[in-house]
Amino acid sequence: MSSLRYAPPKDLSRYAWLSIAAALATIALKSYAAWLTGSVGLLSDAAESLVSLVAAIIALIVLKISIRPADDDHQFGHSKAEYFSAVFEGVMIFVAAAFIVYSAIGRIISPVMPESLSVGLLISVGASVINGAVAWVLHRKGVEENSKTLIADAKHLATDVVTSAAVLVGVGLVAVFHSPVLDAVVALLAGVNIMWTGYRLIKDSIGGLMDVAPSDEALARIDGVLDSYRQDGRIDFHAVRVREAGNRRFAHLDVLVPGEWTVKKGHDLTEEVIDALVAVDPALYVSAHLEPIEDPLSYEDIDDI
């Protein structure tokens, strides 16, 4: 097998640095807006950006770990490290949501009228534009490279944008109706929304740690390659299993060929199939087992998982 068959995973850490820069910028902007206005909604928004900074730093560390090559202690590589980053992001989102809900309830009990709303709103809008742009870049690259860390970070930033929009609505309502309670009510609703996003991130990441199957599109690419090699009664495949592992996918399959074939002929076909699978999915690592197609024993493990 050629040592060039499997390309090394890409270093995506520069996108984590982009997220860190965005978090620092938005923390500064939103904190100033919160201090200027006294709005609990804007304060909760700034708190979530602080959580985003911590999450981005963790993402940077995990992205570096996930591309390390296999070693004696981790013989299938380190790609699953990305799921831990995504779980951490989900937990941190819950922390931010708890702070938001706590602050909002306090302001509902003891309302305080925000000040300098127009300036505060403009500053917060600028911070949201930064977060929205970075979230779009991270999500696009995360989907392209199947990076759970980048996708989780993008969702975190997108949640920040949604929260900012809700806060802006709340502060705007305060300006229109002169009721400080509206600011706190919108912040409370935003906190609940953030909790839901955190739950979904944790759920998806735990699924990855449990060796979840890849997307239907990824499975369809594999099935398409195998179908192109199938010959009725001569060449077939079974016990095909595929699992996600962060930025990598691992597949196992049994290759069924006529028993009279030489070992070399069967081996050459198997190597050709593996190369074809990797060509359509460069993130795929394949192991294959050669079996005689006419032997009943070859089928006994078809449902043995």
mmCIF file of all heavy atoms in Angstrom, residues 16-54:
data_model
loop_
_atom_site.group_PDB
_atom_site.id
_atom_site.type_symbol
_atom_site.label_atom_id
_atom_site.label_comp_id
_atom_site.label_asym_id
_atom_site.label_seq_id
_atom_site.Cartn_x
_atom_site.Cartn_y
_atom_site.Cartn_z
ATOM 1 N N ALA A 16 -9.223 28.894 14.196
ATOM 2 C CA ALA A 16 -9.426 29.117 15.630
ATOM 3 C C ALA A 16 -8.844 30.465 16.037
ATOM 4 O O ALA A 16 -9.426 31.176 16.871
ATOM 5 C CB ALA A 16 -8.785 27.988 16.437
ATOM 6 N N TRP A 17 -7.708 30.827 15.439
ATOM 7 C CA TRP A 17 -7.133 32.147 15.724
ATOM 8 C C TRP A 17 -8.080 33.251 15.258
ATOM 9 O O TRP A 17 -8.196 34.299 15.917
ATOM 10 C CB TRP A 17 -5.779 32.304 15.043
ATOM 11 C CG TRP A 17 -4.642 31.625 15.763
ATOM 12 C CD1 TRP A 17 -3.926 30.532 15.349
ATOM 13 C CD2 TRP A 17 -4.105 31.999 17.027
ATOM 14 N NE1 TRP A 17 -2.986 30.197 16.279
ATOM 15 C CE2 TRP A 17 -3.059 31.080 17.320
ATOM 16 C CE3 TRP A 17 -4.391 33.010 17.952
ATOM 17 C CZ2 TRP A 17 -2.313 31.145 18.491
ATOM 18 C CZ3 TRP A 17 -3.645 33.073 19.115
ATOM 19 C CH2 TRP A 17 -2.622 32.158 19.380
ATOM 20 N N LEU A 18 -8.743 33.031 14.138
ATOM 21 C CA LEU A 18 -9.734 33.991 13.652
ATOM 22 C C LEU A 18 -10.873 34.135 14.658
ATOM 23 O O LEU A 18 -11.339 35.251 14.942
ATOM 24 C CB LEU A 18 -10.278 33.524 12.297
ATOM 25 C CG LEU A 18 -11.399 34.375 11.671
ATOM 26 C CD1 LEU A 18 -10.899 35.791 11.396
ATOM 27 C CD2 LEU A 18 -11.904 33.723 10.384
ATOM 28 N N SER A 19 -11.311 33.006 15.218
ATOM 29 C CA SER A 19 -12.374 33.027 16.218
ATOM 30 C C SER A 19 -11.929 33.755 17.484
ATOM 31 O O SER A 19 -12.704 34.504 18.102
ATOM 32 C CB SER A 19 -12.803 31.596 16.547
ATOM 33 O OG SER A 19 -13.875 31.580 17.457
ATOM 34 N N ILE A 20 -10.683 33.545 17.884
ATOM 35 C CA ILE A 20 -10.143 34.228 19.070
ATOM 36 C C ILE A 20 -10.120 35.742 18.852
ATOM 37 O O ILE A 20 -10.515 36.527 19.727
ATOM 38 C CB ILE A 20 -8.734 33.703 19.393
ATOM 39 C CG1 ILE A 20 -8.811 32.266 19.917
ATOM 40 C CG2 ILE A 20 -8.035 34.606 20.409
ATOM 41 C CD1 ILE A 20 -7.454 31.597 20.082
ATOM 42 N N ALA A 21 -9.663 36.151 17.663
ATOM 43 C CA ALA A 21 -9.618 37.583 17.355
ATOM 44 C C ALA A 21 -11.011 38.195 17.374
ATOM 45 O O ALA A 21 -11.218 39.303 17.909
ATOM 46 C CB ALA A 21 -8.970 37.799 15.990
ATOM 47 N N ALA A 22 -11.985 37.462 16.814
ATOM 48 C CA ALA A 22 -13.363 37.960 16.797
ATOM 49 C C ALA A 22 -13.908 38.075 18.219
ATOM 50 O O ALA A 22 -14.598 39.049 18.559
ATOM 51 C CB ALA A 22 -14.242 37.030 15.972
ATOM 52 N N ALA A 23 -13.593 37.080 19.066
ATOM 53 C CA ALA A 23 -14.082 37.108 20.447
ATOM 54 C C ALA A 23 -13.499 38.296 21.214
ATOM 55 O O ALA A 23 -14.216 38.984 21.949
ATOM 56 C CB ALA A 23 -13.723 35.801 21.150
ATOM 57 N N LEU A 24 -12.212 38.554 21.041
ATOM 58 C CA LEU A 24 -11.593 39.688 21.721
ATOM 59 C C LEU A 24 -12.219 41.012 21.286
ATOM 60 O O LEU A 24 -12.496 41.902 22.114
ATOM 61 C CB LEU A 24 -10.086 39.703 21.445
ATOM 62 C CG LEU A 24 -9.267 38.591 22.111
ATOM 63 C CD1 LEU A 24 -7.835 38.599 21.587
ATOM 64 C CD2 LEU A 24 -9.278 38.755 23.629
ATOM 65 N N ALA A 25 -12.460 41.128 19.980
ATOM 66 C CA ALA A 25 -13.058 42.362 19.460
ATOM 67 C C ALA A 25 -14.476 42.557 19.989
ATOM 68 O O ALA A 25 -14.850 43.666 20.412
ATOM 69 C CB ALA A 25 -13.058 42.339 17.935
ATOM 70 N N THR A 26 -15.256 41.497 19.974
ATOM 71 C CA THR A 26 -16.655 41.630 20.412
ATOM 72 C C THR A 26 -16.776 41.820 21.924
ATOM 73 O O THR A 26 -17.673 42.508 22.391
ATOM 74 C CB THR A 26 -17.481 40.405 19.967
ATOM 75 O OG1 THR A 26 -16.860 39.206 20.443
ATOM 76 C CG2 THR A 26 -17.597 40.345 18.457
ATOM 77 N N ILE A 27 -15.862 41.216 22.686
ATOM 78 C CA ILE A 27 -15.866 41.436 24.139
ATOM 79 C C ILE A 27 -15.652 42.924 24.435
ATOM 80 O O ILE A 27 -16.359 43.531 25.258
ATOM 81 C CB ILE A 27 -14.780 40.590 24.824
ATOM 82 C CG1 ILE A 27 -15.188 39.116 24.865
ATOM 83 C CG2 ILE A 27 -14.530 41.090 26.253
ATOM 84 C CD1 ILE A 27 -14.074 38.201 25.331
ATOM 85 N N ALA A 28 -14.666 43.510 23.762
ATOM 86 C CA ALA A 28 -14.376 44.924 23.981
ATOM 87 C C ALA A 28 -15.569 45.799 23.596
ATOM 88 O O ALA A 28 -15.971 46.699 24.354
ATOM 89 C CB ALA A 28 -13.142 45.330 23.181
ATOM 90 N N LEU A 29 -16.148 45.530 22.440
ATOM 91 C CA LEU A 29 -17.264 46.352 21.966
ATOM 92 C C LEU A 29 -18.501 46.202 22.849
ATOM 93 O O LEU A 29 -19.130 47.191 23.249
ATOM 94 C CB LEU A 29 -17.601 45.981 20.521
ATOM 95 C CG LEU A 29 -16.574 46.391 19.461
ATOM 96 C CD1 LEU A 29 -16.920 45.763 18.106
ATOM 97 C CD2 LEU A 29 -16.513 47.907 19.336
ATOM 98 N N LYS A 30 -18.859 44.955 23.156
ATOM 99 C CA LYS A 30 -20.088 44.720 23.919
ATOM 100 C C LYS A 30 -19.944 45.160 25.376
ATOM 101 O O LYS A 30 -20.913 45.636 25.981
ATOM 102 C CB LYS A 30 -20.471 43.247 23.839
ATOM 103 C CG LYS A 30 -20.936 42.815 22.450
ATOM 104 C CD LYS A 30 -21.301 41.349 22.425
ATOM 105 C CE LYS A 30 -21.770 40.916 21.050
ATOM 106 N NZ LYS A 30 -22.136 39.483 21.004
ATOM 107 N N SER A 31 -18.757 44.993 25.943
ATOM 108 C CA SER A 31 -18.549 45.434 27.319
ATOM 109 C C SER A 31 -18.679 46.953 27.409
ATOM 110 O O SER A 31 -19.273 47.492 28.363
ATOM 111 C CB SER A 31 -17.165 44.996 27.820
ATOM 112 O OG SER A 31 -17.077 43.587 27.870
ATOM 113 N N TYR A 32 -18.135 47.629 26.428
ATOM 114 C CA TYR A 32 -18.260 49.081 26.412
ATOM 115 C C TYR A 32 -19.717 49.499 26.252
ATOM 116 O O TYR A 32 -20.194 50.421 26.941
ATOM 117 C CB TYR A 32 -17.423 49.673 25.274
ATOM 118 C CG TYR A 32 -17.541 51.176 25.158
ATOM 119 C CD1 TYR A 32 -17.069 52.011 26.173
ATOM 120 C CD2 TYR A 32 -18.140 51.759 24.043
ATOM 121 C CE1 TYR A 32 -17.177 53.395 26.082
ATOM 122 C CE2 TYR A 32 -18.255 53.137 23.940
ATOM 123 C CZ TYR A 32 -17.773 53.946 24.960
ATOM 124 O OH TYR A 32 -17.902 55.317 24.868
ATOM 125 N N ALA A 33 -20.444 48.800 25.370
ATOM 126 C CA ALA A 33 -21.860 49.105 25.164
ATOM 127 C C ALA A 33 -22.661 48.849 26.436
ATOM 128 O O ALA A 33 -23.546 49.635 26.801
ATOM 129 C CB ALA A 33 -22.417 48.274 24.015
ATOM 130 N N ALA A 34 -22.354 47.758 27.136
ATOM 131 C CA ALA A 34 -23.062 47.440 28.374
ATOM 132 C C ALA A 34 -22.751 48.478 29.464
ATOM 133 O O ALA A 34 -23.645 48.899 30.201
ATOM 134 C CB ALA A 34 -22.666 46.047 28.858
ATOM 135 N N TRP A 35 -21.486 48.883 29.565
ATOM 136 C CA TRP A 35 -21.108 49.894 30.549
ATOM 137 C C TRP A 35 -21.755 51.237 30.242
ATOM 138 O O TRP A 35 -22.222 51.955 31.139
ATOM 139 C CB TRP A 35 -19.588 50.044 30.558
ATOM 140 C CG TRP A 35 -19.107 51.184 31.408
ATOM 141 C CD1 TRP A 35 -18.945 51.189 32.766
ATOM 142 C CD2 TRP A 35 -18.725 52.490 30.952
ATOM 143 N NE1 TRP A 35 -18.493 52.423 33.183
ATOM 144 C CE2 TRP A 35 -18.352 53.248 32.096
ATOM 145 C CE3 TRP A 35 -18.664 53.092 29.702
ATOM 146 C CZ2 TRP A 35 -17.920 54.565 32.002
ATOM 147 C CZ3 TRP A 35 -18.245 54.406 29.611
ATOM 148 C CH2 TRP A 35 -17.881 55.131 30.754
ATOM 149 N N LEU A 36 -21.839 51.559 28.943
ATOM 150 C CA LEU A 36 -22.393 52.849 28.524
ATOM 151 C C LEU A 36 -23.886 52.941 28.796
ATOM 152 O O LEU A 36 -24.396 53.989 29.202
ATOM 153 C CB LEU A 36 -22.118 53.051 27.034
ATOM 154 C CG LEU A 36 -22.381 54.434 26.437
ATOM 155 C CD1 LEU A 36 -21.425 55.455 27.030
ATOM 156 C CD2 LEU A 36 -22.235 54.388 24.906
ATOM 157 N N THR A 37 -24.590 51.824 28.581
ATOM 158 C CA THR A 37 -26.050 51.850 28.674
ATOM 159 C C THR A 37 -26.599 51.346 30.000
ATOM 160 O O THR A 37 -27.707 51.692 30.393
ATOM 161 C CB THR A 37 -26.664 50.982 27.559
ATOM 162 O OG1 THR A 37 -26.253 49.621 27.742
ATOM 163 C CG2 THR A 37 -26.215 51.463 26.183
ATOM 164 N N GLY A 38 -25.845 50.462 30.665
ATOM 165 C CA GLY A 38 -26.377 49.829 31.863
ATOM 166 C C GLY A 38 -27.398 48.750 31.559
ATOM 167 O O GLY A 38 -28.124 48.302 32.444
ATOM 168 N N SER A 39 -27.430 48.286 30.313
ATOM 169 C CA SER A 39 -28.407 47.276 29.892
ATOM 170 C C SER A 39 -27.964 45.880 30.313
ATOM 171 O O SER A 39 -26.845 45.452 30.014
ATOM 172 C CB SER A 39 -28.580 47.317 28.366
ATOM 173 O OG SER A 39 -29.265 46.171 27.916
ATOM 174 N N VAL A 40 -28.852 45.143 30.991
ATOM 175 C CA VAL A 40 -28.527 43.766 31.366
ATOM 176 C C VAL A 40 -28.495 42.877 30.135
ATOM 177 O O VAL A 40 -27.776 41.882 30.082
ATOM 178 C CB VAL A 40 -29.550 43.238 32.403
ATOM 179 C CG1 VAL A 40 -30.938 43.084 31.796
ATOM 180 C CG2 VAL A 40 -29.094 41.904 32.975
ATOM 181 N N GLY A 41 -29.278 43.243 29.135
ATOM 182 C CA GLY A 41 -29.242 42.471 27.896
ATOM 183 C C GLY A 41 -27.884 42.556 27.223
ATOM 184 O O GLY A 41 -27.309 41.550 26.808
ATOM 185 N N LEU A 42 -27.347 43.767 27.129
ATOM 186 C CA LEU A 42 -26.027 43.934 26.534
ATOM 187 C C LEU A 42 -24.938 43.336 27.411
ATOM 188 O O LEU A 42 -23.936 42.811 26.908
ATOM 189 C CB LEU A 42 -25.762 45.419 26.286
ATOM 190 C CG LEU A 42 -26.620 46.069 25.192
ATOM 191 C CD1 LEU A 42 -26.342 47.564 25.118
ATOM 192 C CD2 LEU A 42 -26.387 45.410 23.847
ATOM 193 N N LEU A 43 -25.115 43.386 28.729
ATOM 194 C CA LEU A 43 -24.151 42.756 29.630
ATOM 195 C C LEU A 43 -24.132 41.248 29.434
ATOM 196 O O LEU A 43 -23.062 40.626 29.389
ATOM 197 C CB LEU A 43 -24.513 43.082 31.078
ATOM 198 C CG LEU A 43 -23.620 42.428 32.151
ATOM 199 C CD1 LEU A 43 -22.182 42.904 32.017
ATOM 200 C CD2 LEU A 43 -24.163 42.724 33.548
ATOM 201 N N SER A 44 -25.308 40.635 29.287
ATOM 202 C CA SER A 44 -25.378 39.189 29.060
ATOM 203 C C SER A 44 -24.758 38.836 27.718
ATOM 204 O O SER A 44 -24.117 37.791 27.570
ATOM 205 C CB SER A 44 -26.832 38.719 29.119
ATOM 206 O OG SER A 44 -27.591 39.272 28.063
ATOM 207 N N ASP A 45 -24.939 39.729 26.749
ATOM 208 C CA ASP A 45 -24.341 39.508 25.435
ATOM 209 C C ASP A 45 -22.819 39.527 25.528
ATOM 210 O O ASP A 45 -22.122 38.699 24.917
ATOM 211 C CB ASP A 45 -24.829 40.599 24.482
ATOM 212 C CG ASP A 45 -24.921 40.121 23.047
ATOM 213 O OD1 ASP A 45 -24.764 38.908 22.825
ATOM 214 O OD2 ASP A 45 -25.150 40.957 22.168
ATOM 215 N N ALA A 46 -22.272 40.450 26.303
ATOM 216 C CA ALA A 46 -20.823 40.516 26.493
ATOM 217 C C ALA A 46 -20.309 39.277 27.215
ATOM 218 O O ALA A 46 -19.225 38.762 26.916
ATOM 219 C CB ALA A 46 -20.463 41.780 27.280
ATOM 220 N N ALA A 47 -21.089 38.774 28.167
ATOM 221 C CA ALA A 47 -20.682 37.572 28.900
ATOM 222 C C ALA A 47 -20.574 36.372 27.967
ATOM 223 O O ALA A 47 -19.652 35.557 28.094
ATOM 224 C CB ALA A 47 -21.686 37.274 30.011
ATOM 225 N N GLU A 48 -21.499 36.267 27.020
ATOM 226 C CA GLU A 48 -21.419 35.141 26.091
ATOM 227 C C GLU A 48 -20.182 35.248 25.209
ATOM 228 O O GLU A 48 -19.574 34.239 24.849
ATOM 229 C CB GLU A 48 -22.674 35.063 25.224
ATOM 230 C CG GLU A 48 -22.682 33.796 24.389
ATOM 231 C CD GLU A 48 -23.899 33.688 23.480
ATOM 232 O OE1 GLU A 48 -24.744 34.586 23.506
ATOM 233 O OE2 GLU A 48 -23.963 32.690 22.744
ATOM 234 N N SER A 49 -19.780 36.464 24.858
ATOM 235 C CA SER A 49 -18.572 36.631 24.057
ATOM 236 C C SER A 49 -17.336 36.210 24.839
ATOM 237 O O SER A 49 -16.364 35.696 24.265
ATOM 238 C CB SER A 49 -18.435 38.090 23.600
ATOM 239 O OG SER A 49 -19.461 38.425 22.699
ATOM 240 N N LEU A 50 -17.348 36.397 26.156
ATOM 241 C CA LEU A 50 -16.244 35.924 26.992
ATOM 242 C C LEU A 50 -16.171 34.401 26.956
ATOM 243 O O LEU A 50 -15.090 33.805 26.851
ATOM 244 C CB LEU A 50 -16.434 36.409 28.425
ATOM 245 C CG LEU A 50 -15.331 36.037 29.422
ATOM 246 C CD1 LEU A 50 -13.993 36.618 28.999
ATOM 247 C CD2 LEU A 50 -15.696 36.501 30.829
ATOM 248 N N VAL A 51 -17.340 33.771 27.005
ATOM 249 C CA VAL A 51 -17.393 32.312 26.881
ATOM 250 C C VAL A 51 -16.877 31.887 25.510
ATOM 251 O O VAL A 51 -16.167 30.883 25.370
ATOM 252 C CB VAL A 51 -18.834 31.813 27.106
ATOM 253 C CG1 VAL A 51 -18.943 30.327 26.805
ATOM 254 C CG2 VAL A 51 -19.264 32.088 28.538
ATOM 255 N N SER A 52 -17.221 32.661 24.485
ATOM 256 C CA SER A 52 -16.756 32.353 23.126
ATOM 257 C C SER A 52 -15.233 32.391 23.042
ATOM 258 O O SER A 52 -14.619 31.589 22.329
ATOM 259 C CB SER A 52 -17.355 33.353 22.128
ATOM 260 O OG SER A 52 -18.757 33.234 22.065
ATOM 261 N N LEU A 53 -14.618 33.319 23.773
ATOM 262 C CA LEU A 53 -13.154 33.406 23.782
ATOM 263 C C LEU A 53 -12.538 32.151 24.392
ATOM 264 O O LEU A 53 -11.606 31.571 23.824
ATOM 265 C CB LEU A 53 -12.712 34.642 24.569
ATOM 266 C CG LEU A 53 -11.200 34.783 24.783
ATOM 267 C CD1 LEU A 53 -10.476 34.896 23.450
ATOM 268 C CD2 LEU A 53 -10.901 35.988 25.680
ATOM 269 N N VAL A 54 -13.062 31.724 25.530
ATOM 270 C CA VAL A 54 -12.550 30.512 26.170
ATOM 271 C C VAL A 54 -12.729 29.309 25.249
ATOM 272 O O VAL A 54 -11.814 28.487 25.077
ATOM 273 C CB VAL A 54 -13.262 30.268 27.515
ATOM 274 C CG1 VAL A 54 -12.803 28.949 28.132
ATOM 275 C CG2 VAL A 54 -13.003 31.415 28.478
#
